[in-house]
Amino acid sequence: MISSSESNNPAPAAGLSRHAVPALLVSVAVLSVCAITYQLLISTLSSYFLGSSVLHFSLVIGLFLSSMGLGSWISRYLRTRLLERFIQFELWLGVAGGCSAWLLYAAFSLTDAYYLIAFGLIVLLGTLIGIEIPVLTRVVREYQSLRDALARVFSIDYLGALIASVLFPLIWLPWLGIMRTAFLTGILNVAVAGATAWLFRHALQGARPYLLGAALAGAALLAGFIGSFGLVTYFEEKLYQDPILLSRQSRYQQIVLTRWHDDLRLYLNGNLQFSSRDEYRYHEPLVHIPMPLAAARSRILVLGGGDGLAVREILKYSGVDSVDVVDLDPEMTRLGFSHPAFIRLNDSAFHDPRVRIVNQDAYKYIESGSSLYDVAIIDLPDPDDTSVGKLYTQEFYRLLARRLAAGAAVVTQSTSPYFAPDAFWCIHHTLRAVFPVCWPYAAYIPSFGHWGFNVALNLPPAAQPSDTALAPPVETIRQRLFNPQQPMALRYLTPEQVQALFVFDGDMRSRPAELNRLDNQQLVRYYEASWNRWR
């Protein structure tokens, strides 16, 4: 219950004006934007560096909130000179938060103590953020009742959170990148401190030191903002073995292209996607196993494959009328279409008039469309995250089956049966639960080691063999792939190699695994557990 003394507007402190309340409320909105942005920054960077976005977003948000609670508890001991305290905390927060991305890059690339530094940074930022709102609420209460002060401060605080959650993925991350976004957010904190010191300069006991501190901190963060590209380049050169040819931050991922002599390498979120020296050993098995098995090869679907390398192999077949490439990231397909290094590597595949690029989530595309395909090639990143893991679920494969013509073939890259056997066989069993005719196979790729695939056929019930443990159709593939009347330029696959693809060593043979479903995302857990043993 609010007492009568709290329900009346108390008299403002000497030297303060009621017109300052709007300025304080604007500060609340800015500070809320900064607070949410710091959480998103650290979560995103941790996911880029270490994978498992669910784990890292959960850890960061949980630790941030608990640290904010600690800051709120500490604020009860601040009884006097609240404006001065607020300005001091904002300056500290601006400097620490503005340098947060720089610190995390350094922690990951130069030390083995990433988690220690990241958690310490989260506690520091969360505690300072937790002090902000209680202190500002008490300042605003000097002009309004406690009821009004709380209502206005918290409503604006929540509005700021919404603004940040929209700004970060749609504008700041793709246009500024992580490092610049961090420095910009720190500048906003420092700007709030400087503006507060100026607006309330007559009420402060010496505003000049705060104004000077805000100017110096702002200048330092602005220098970091301007020089952020050089900082990112320096740390990325520590992370990658070869000189960086291109580095871009899209709305969805960090894209890095490196080159050493004739070896071009693509990294997405720090994970190697291909090396130009041996990528054909991946893309030939990916494409040239399902294509000969399909009843027709007119309409082809590629999920992922924004680099154009799978499409290059598809276009080697006569009779291909259309190829739909569905890749979420327009920046990736733009590079595949226009960057000279990609054009040389994919033989200008995206310039072929039969190729159509669709920048859309693969799940939504499959769910909402109606056209049928003769071959579906799933060339997606490894399932290290639930947003990708959903594209390896039983539910997704059922939706995909509706988009396949009778006798169509579907193939999916399935991670390594050696390094991540549980994940590989989870994909196999999940695919086989929808397509009973399904065969696993693997190729050796020097850049990755043994890498696995699963190919399945969409046969009507009457055409499905009673024995679902059907032997791999090696002869069918050989006859159709190595047709002397229509020779195909292949660098890796030979008639002998086709048979070898379906032979698994003893330590990679089939094992039981749970099916991957939307409601359990078991595959992501298998994947993380397997690869963590090798890191």
Side-chain angles (χ1 to χ4, degrees):
M1 181 179 294
I2 300 174
S3 65
S4 59
S5 62
E6 291 175 321
S7 63
N8 298 322
N9 291 351
L16 301 184
S17 168
R18 289 180 180 272
H19 296 294
V21 172
L24 291 173
L25 295 178
V26 170
S27 297
V28 172
V30 174
L31 299 181
S32 178
V33 168
C34 294
I36 297 298
T37 301
Y38 290 137
Q39 296 179 52
L40 294 172
L41 278 169
I42 297 176
S43 302
T44 302
L45 260 184
S46 298
S47 300
Y48 283 178
F49 291 149
L50 301 167
S52 185
S53 63
V54 172
L55 171 65
H56 290 107
F57 271 83
S58 298
L59 286 176
V60 171
I61 292 173
L63 191 54
F64 245 109
L65 291 176
S66 60
S67 300
M68 289 168 64
L70 174 62
S72 298
W73 181 78
I74 292 174
S75 70
R76 65 183 296 190
Y77 296 103
L78 304 176
R79 303 182 184 276
T80 60
R81 302 177 62 188
L82 293 181
L83 276 174
E84 286 92 334
R85 302 294 185 216
F86 172 74
I87 294 170
Q88 292 169 4
F89 291 136
E90 283 308 301
L91 290 175
W92 297 342
L93 180 59
V95 173
C99 296
S100 59
W102 175 82
L103 289 170
L104 293 178
Y105 263 99
F108 185 75
S109 60
L110 303 178
T111 76
D112 294 325
Y114 179 83
Y115 277 122
L116 178 63
I117 294 173
F119 289 167
L121 183 62
I122 292 169
V123 171
L124 173 62
L125 296 179
T127 302
L128 292 173
I129 291 169
I131 293 174
E132 290 175 339
I133 297 302
V135 170
L136 268 182
T137 302
R138 289 159 64 185
V139 173
V140 173
R141 185 176 171 268
E142 295 184 7
Y143 310 94
Q144 301 175 342
S145 68
L146 179 60
R147 180 187 295 112
D148 289 342
L150 288 173
R152 292 191 177 188
V153 168
F154 280 102
S155 62
I156 293 175
D157 182 55
Y158 297 144
L159 176 62
L162 172 62
I163 293 172
S165 65
V166 173
L167 281 176
F168 182 80
L170 299 182
I171 298 177
W172 285 353
L173 188 60
W175 290 99
L176 298 179
I178 287 181
M179 188 81 76
R180 282 192 171 182
T181 298
F183 282 120
L184 176 61
T185 309
I187 290 171
L188 291 177
N189 276 122
V190 170
V192 167
T196 304
W198 174 256
L199 291 173
F200 296 92
R201 61 191 181 278
H202 300 300
L204 299 174
Q205 297 179 9
R208 183 172 298 177
Y210 301 121
L211 292 171
L212 179 61
L216 292 175
L221 293 172
L222 181 60
F225 180 88
I226 296 172
S228 61
F229 180 77
L231 290 173
V232 171
T233 301
Y234 170 78
F235 288 121
E236 286 182 344
E237 287 175 349
K238 299 293 184 182
L239 295 175
Y240 301 101
Q241 299 176 357
D242 304 324
I244 294 173
L245 181 64
L246 175 148
S247 178
R248 295 199 183 159
Q249 175 64 60
S250 74
R251 287 174 55 187
Y252 305 102
Q253 58 197 348
Q254 184 186 44
I255 304 171
V256 174
L257 197 63
T258 68
R259 169 176 281 162
W260 178 253
H261 298 302
D262 63 339
D263 186 15
L264 191 74
R265 296 188 172 214
L266 173 68
Y267 295 85
L268 299 180
N269 293 342
N271 297 314
L272 178 65
Q273 302 302 301
F274 71 74
S275 165
S276 61
R277 287 182 174 176
D278 58 15
E279 54 81 15
Y280 63 90
R281 295 176 69 100
Y282 169 89
H283 290 99
E284 287 187 12
L286 176 71
V287 172
H288 298 301
I289 296 302
M291 291 289 281
L293 293 177
R297 292 183 289 275
S298 174
R299 299 154 298 177
I300 314 299
L301 172 66
V302 179
L303 301 180
D307 49 37
L309 301 179
V311 178
R312 177 197 66 199
E313 298 299 320
I314 292 169
L315 295 177
K316 292 179 179 179
Y317 287 85
S318 60
V320 173
D321 294 331
S322 65
V323 182
D324 290 346
V325 179
V326 181
D327 192 294
L328 179 64
D329 194 348
E331 186 61 35
M332 187 66 248
T333 54
R334 190 177 299 116
L335 290 172
F337 181 86
S338 61
H339 194 281
F342 281 96
I343 291 175
R344 285 194 297 271
L345 201 57
N346 63 29
D347 292 339
S348 302
F350 284 164
H351 293 260
D352 192 293
R354 293 171 291 177
V355 177
R356 181 173 72 108
I357 297 174
V358 181
N359 295 122
Q360 186 179 356
D361 177 75
Y363 202 104
K364 292 297 183 184
Y365 180 84
I366 295 299
E367 186 177 40
S368 60
S370 58
S371 55
L372 296 179
Y373 294 97
D374 300 312
V375 180
I377 295 174
I378 305 176
D379 186 18
L380 296 167
D382 276 0
D384 62 349
D385 179 271
T386 54
S387 62
V388 180
K390 71 180 181 181
L391 302 176
Y392 293 84
T393 59
Q394 186 177 15
E395 291 87 347
F396 178 72
Y397 293 147
R398 284 174 176 166
L399 291 174
L400 181 60
R402 300 175 187 173
R403 302 290 302 275
L404 298 178
V410 56
V411 67
T412 179
Q413 82 86 7
S414 306
T415 195
S416 172
Y418 179 76
F419 293 105
D422 291 328
F424 175 85
W425 291 107
C426 173
I427 295 172
H428 172 75
H429 295 315
T430 304
L431 193 66
R432 189 168 174 176
V434 178
F435 303 96
V437 180
C438 178
W439 299 282
Y441 62 102
Y444 180 75
I445 305 166
S447 296
F448 296 96
H450 284 93
W451 208 259
F453 310 85
N454 278 280
V455 61
L457 297 181
N458 187 44
L459 300 180
Q464 291 178 7
S466 57
D467 182 9
T468 56
L470 192 66
V474 173
E475 286 306 316
T476 300
I477 297 171
R478 284 174 171 173
Q479 292 172 8
R480 296 178 181 177
L481 184 58
F482 302 100
N483 185 343
Q485 279 72 42
Q486 294 180 327
M488 190 173 297
L490 299 175
R491 300 173 62 187
Y492 172 58
L493 291 180
T494 63
E496 296 76 19
Q497 186 60 42
V498 168
Q499 181 166 0
L501 294 177
F502 293 92
V503 178
F504 283 79
D505 297 337
D507 54 359
M508 296 190 294
R509 286 179 181 169
S510 179
R511 61 177 66 189
E514 289 187 45
L515 300 186
N516 188 43
R517 299 185 177 91
L518 281 174
D519 64 348
N520 68 8
Q521 289 278 4
Q522 180 62 44
L523 176 60
V524 176
R525 292 196 289 273
Y526 280 143
Y527 181 88
E528 291 176 349
S530 295
W531 282 102
N532 283 339
R533 290 197 294 266
W534 296 95
R535 285 174 178 153

